[in-house]
Amino acid sequence: MQTFSTLVDDIAEVTCRKGEEQLIASLVNGAVRELESMGLYEQDLVEVRIKTEGASTQPFMWRDAPKNLRAISHVRYSNGVIPVPVKVSRKLEELKGNYYYIAGSYIAFSGAPLGGDIDVAYYQIQPRLKYYAAKDEQPAIREDQESAWKYRYFDPDTQRYSYVDTLGSEDADYEARAKVTNWLLEDYYEAVRAIAVREVFNAFNDVANSSTWTAVANNHKQIFKNLTGIKGIYT
């Protein structure tokens, strides 16, 4: 499995566009977003517990809601109540009971037990990945799917970076991997690659190659849809 950066390098070579790696990186991120937008997937599901201690008014405002939140799957208060989602409107002032709504940069939970917890499961948008021109600058590397991950580590004794088997914890290792790959690159690499190659040719008005790779990309998108059909909720 290649990392995001090695995929960018691969596409630059295939399309004869070396020197355009930053543009290609943007297009690869766009290809990931194009696949992700086809449905809601369990790989994007995140569960968090929100503490309401210190709050004294209703509704409780979750002002630290993540910016990459795409859609809420479910909400449950610590008293067992499951609030219903509502849309923001002038009628909100008339509503009573247990409900929640998303407004701008916060989410409001009405009826939440102040001093208790709110469990939220939401679908995230995969963060955009950064292109690393030098392989030895990537936070994590792996030669192929059979190889173990290696992690970039700064040794304070030698004052040098090297790659080690672990950064000391599963969380630290996961954070390093998340900077160079995601589940779409790992499981649907060919689909991401085909869409990104199509977009590179589109960007440079290469009509012939764009037409060819549009067909290839559409085929991979159909395969992706078929393979994720059980898990994906298509929008």
Side-chain angles (χ1 to χ4, degrees):
M1 193 282 303
Q2 299 185 25
T3 62
F4 176 84
S5 295
T6 52
L7 173 56
V8 170
D9 291 335
D10 172 40
I11 293 175
E13 183 172 353
V14 168
T15 60
C16 300
R17 294 294 174 181
K18 290 187 176 181
E20 299 288 350
E21 284 80 6
Q22 292 301 330
L23 170 63
I24 295 171
S26 177
L27 297 176
V28 173
N29 277 313
V32 168
R33 190 64 53 84
E34 184 170 332
L35 288 177
E36 195 173 30
S37 69
M38 292 174 65
L40 298 172
Y41 305 101
E42 62 184 23
Q43 295 93 331
D44 289 328
L45 196 62
V46 178
E47 295 180 329
V48 296
R49 174 162 291 176
I50 306 166
K51 301 290 185 180
T52 66
E53 55 187 322
S56 58
T57 59
Q58 290 282 357
F60 172 78
M61 303 292 189
W62 186 25
R63 299 191 182 278
D64 295 326
K67 294 180 180 179
N68 66 336
L69 186 152
R70 180 181 173 194
I72 290 181
S73 173
H74 66 265
V75 176
R76 185 185 183 92
Y77 296 158
S78 55
N79 59 7
V81 171
I82 299 176
V84 298
V86 298
K87 293 183 178 180
V88 177
S89 71
R90 294 180 179 178
K91 294 183 179 180
L92 279 176
E93 297 180 357
E94 303 173 8
L95 291 178
K96 296 180 180 181
N98 303 289
Y99 61 87
Y100 67 91
Y101 61 87
I102 301 175
S105 60
Y106 67 88
I107 302 176
F109 299 94
S110 178
L114 302 182
D117 301 328
I118 305 173
D119 290 329
V120 178
Y122 68 89
Y123 294 97
Q124 67 172 342
I125 298 171
Q126 287 295 324
R128 298 177 66 83
L129 296 177
K130 176 184 175 181
Y131 171 68
Y132 295 90
K135 182 179 179 180
D136 60 2
E137 291 182 355
Q138 296 186 70
I141 58 173
R142 184 166 70 163
E143 296 300 329
D144 54 56
Q145 286 189 319
E146 303 303 321
S147 303
W149 281 98
K150 300 287 186 180
Y151 304 95
R152 191 169 189 251
Y153 169 74
F154 180 74
D155 189 329
D157 294 328
T158 64
Q159 294 292 299
R160 293 182 178 180
Y161 284 98
S162 62
Y163 282 93
V164 296
D165 293 335
T166 180
L167 294 174
S169 70
E170 291 185 5
D171 287 345
D173 293 348
Y174 174 81
E175 288 180 7
R177 293 195 302 271
K179 293 178 180 178
V180 300
T181 191
N182 55 48
W183 70 273
L184 286 159
L185 285 173
E186 291 191 22
D187 297 341
Y188 300 99
Y189 173 87
E190 294 83 1
V192 175
R193 181 178 184 271
I195 294 170
V197 170
R198 177 200 70 193
E199 290 305 303
V200 172
F201 287 128
N202 281 342
F204 290 95
N205 297 314
D206 188 331
V207 178
N209 281 314
S210 175
S211 177
T212 298
W213 280 92
T214 294
V216 175
N218 287 342
N219 181 57
H220 278 292
K221 287 175 68 175
Q222 185 60 50
I223 293 173
F224 171 77
K225 182 175 180 179
N226 292 342
L227 292 175
T228 59
I230 296 176
K231 296 180 292 183
I233 305 170
Y234 294 101
T235 54

